[in-house]
Amino acid sequence: MSLYPVRENLCSGCIQRASWRRKRGETAKEGRNPQVIRIRERGRMHVGCRGPSHDPACVSCRLLVRCGIPNLGGLCYLSHSQPRKHRAAGRMSKGPDGPVPFVNIGKRAKDLLYKNYNFDQKFSLSTSSSSGLNLTATGVRINEDFIGGIRTQHKSGKTTVDVIIDSDSKVSTTVTVDEALTGLKTSFSFKVPDHKSGKLDLQYAHNRFALNSSIGLTSAPLVELAATVGTSELSFGAEVGFDSTSASVTKYNSGIGYNKSDFSASLLLADKGETLKASYIHLFNPTNGATVAAEVTHKLKTKENYFTIGSSHAIDSSTLLKTRFSNSGKVGLLCQHEWRPKSLVTLSAEYDPKVVRSPSRFGVAISVKP
């Protein structure tokens, strides 16, 4: 977010402060001057600076009155659109330098088309403490069954311990060490009482390649390896899985992804070379996050084709609407509302004309974070 948009009708205080910061090459996240004040109002970020006096003709000065900020000796505000997190799903900002991991090739389109669609009843309650301890309780009702779980996460320095206890009294534990070495992320996970569930995951990121590996901690482990090379815009990658018990290859996939600030495209050869998937996502309006995405699947053996298209846009600063349609006639709709900061209610619906008895499905998910 920049402090220097071109605006008309700014007073001398706004122009002088913006010019001074521009010469120093600073952005909104740098140069934390105590005279600069930031306030959020109705999904917009207002950055204030001390001016010589208020000017009624200055559009930035008038925000002072509208936002109810007291007179602190002359304040002028530069206003910038700052959508909330759910809008950021449509905003495709540039990530860190280096190619994305193989699992993230095509992820943007997949998230828009399938993420957060839920056709059951789900509730989650999250809380956190200043010591780095996070606690989340979840419950899901699927038909007549109820599945619950409690998750605790504690972060200390570079180490994160994640423990999940489900309604079947199974305990899953994951210990993650971030930046054990430069660019290396290590995680160790296991489940109790399953003594064969131990697994070691390694992730290494470089500005020209990314490596991901998973090794089962058993006498005959299952080994998976994925690698991508390229840049933050263009990535080539492949993954392979090997089962040492049967001495067989469990999977091998390859793909290419291209990412820009407003669109992303990918092409994947999956299912051991039997399926070809292409996806595309395009951001049309950064202000309301208006985005469209499409995914096309071609079965090389059977010559069958499938496609799914979807859209996403923010109705207002706290409400997100998503739609999707597939060639089989399925129509999906999702509405997500942030009724308080970080607390969401999500309604999902789907209509399948090929299902005779119950063609419609509905679901609700409520996430509460005090």
Side-chain angles (χ1 to χ4, degrees):
M1 181 176 62
S2 172
L3 283 175
Y4 319 117
V6 177
R7 283 187 178 272
E8 299 178 353
N9 300 326
L10 290 181
C11 71
S12 59
C14 289
I15 297 174
Q16 182 179 5
R17 175 63 64 178
S19 175
W20 173 74
R21 292 177 67 84
R22 187 187 299 109
K23 290 179 180 179
R24 293 185 53 178
E26 295 180 355
T27 65
K29 294 184 179 180
E30 299 172 344
R32 295 291 189 180
N33 193 297
Q35 291 184 326
V36 176
I37 296 179
R38 293 166 176 81
I39 58 175
R40 186 186 300 275
E41 183 251 354
R42 295 181 181 179
R44 298 180 68 86
M45 179 66 75
H46 307 300
V47 182
C49 60
R50 293 185 182 276
S53 62
H54 290 297
D55 187 348
C58 176
V59 293
S60 294
C61 283
R62 289 200 295 269
L63 289 173
L64 180 68
V65 178
R66 191 179 75 180
C67 299
I69 305 299
N71 192 333
L72 299 178
L75 288 174
C76 297
Y77 285 83
L78 299 177
S79 177
H80 307 270
S81 176
Q82 184 69 16
R84 294 187 177 181
K85 285 187 177 180
H86 68 267
R87 285 194 191 174
R91 297 173 65 92
M92 302 192 302
S93 58
K94 184 179 179 181
D97 292 337
V100 298
F102 181 81
V103 70
N104 288 345
I105 294 180
K107 184 177 182 296
R108 288 174 173 173
K110 186 183 298 183
D111 285 350
L112 187 147
L113 294 173
Y114 305 107
K115 188 177 181 180
N116 293 329
Y117 278 93
N118 169 67
F119 304 107
D120 301 302
Q121 289 76 49
K122 182 178 180 181
F123 177 81
S124 66
L125 174 64
S126 303
T127 184
S128 59
S129 66
S130 57
S131 60
L133 178 64
N134 300 321
L135 179 65
T136 303
T138 60
V140 181
R141 183 181 179 182
I142 304 175
N143 297 325
E144 299 299 326
D145 299 327
F146 181 82
I147 302 174
I150 297 177
R151 175 181 179 179
T152 60
Q153 185 183 75
H154 184 266
K155 185 174 183 179
S156 178
K158 298 180 179 180
T159 304
T160 303
V161 180
D162 204 329
V163 180
I164 300 176
I165 305 174
D166 61 23
S167 55
D168 294 330
S169 300
K170 294 181 180 179
V171 181
S172 302
T173 304
T174 303
V175 180
T176 303
V177 180
D178 198 3
E179 294 290 332
L181 297 174
T182 302
L184 178 64
K185 183 177 181 179
T186 306
S187 63
F188 167 68
S189 61
F190 61 91
K191 297 180 181 179
V192 177
D194 187 0
H195 64 281
K196 294 183 179 180
S197 62
K199 186 172 64 172
L200 178 64
D201 294 327
L202 299 175
Q203 302 176 22
Y204 181 75
H206 189 265
N207 59 358
R208 285 295 178 266
F209 63 88
L211 296 175
N212 296 73
S213 65
S214 177
I215 305 172
L217 301 180
T218 62
S219 57
L222 177 66
V223 180
E224 296 181 356
L225 178 65
T228 54
V229 296
T231 65
S232 59
E233 292 186 352
L234 183 61
S235 303
F236 302 86
E239 66 174 351
V240 62
F242 180 78
D243 188 353
S244 58
T245 302
S246 58
S248 61
V249 177
T250 58
K251 66 177 180 180
Y252 50 87
N253 307 311
S254 61
I256 178 175
Y258 186 69
N259 298 297
K260 295 293 286 186
S261 60
D262 57 346
F263 73 90
S264 176
S266 67
L267 182 64
L268 291 171
L269 185 62
D271 301 331
K272 297 182 178 180
E274 296 183 358
T275 303
L276 189 64
K277 290 184 178 181
S279 64
Y280 181 79
I281 182 171
H282 194 108
L283 173 65
F284 286 98
N285 191 339
T287 303
N288 63 5
T291 310
V292 297
E295 183 183 67
V296 179
T297 303
H298 176 69
K299 298 291 185 180
L300 297 178
K301 285 188 176 181
T302 62
K303 307 300 181 180
E304 295 177 312
N305 296 309
Y306 309 93
F307 72 84
T308 303
I309 59 177
S311 66
S312 171
H313 77 279
I315 299 176
D316 54 39
S317 61
S318 58
T319 306
L320 175 72
L321 183 66
K322 293 172 61 176
T323 61
R324 73 180 182 192
F325 174 79
S326 66
N327 66 309
S328 62
K330 286 185 179 180
V331 179
L333 179 67
L334 179 147
C335 183
Q336 186 177 77
H337 179 69
E338 187 178 20
W339 53 280
R340 57 175 294 173
K342 299 183 180 180
S343 295
L344 305 171
V345 57
T346 305
L347 302 176
S348 305
E350 184 182 64
Y351 177 76
D352 188 353
K354 294 185 178 181
V355 178
V356 178
R357 291 187 177 181
S358 181
S360 301
R361 295 194 299 167
F362 300 93
V364 59
I366 300 175
S367 175
V368 180
K369 189 170 184 180

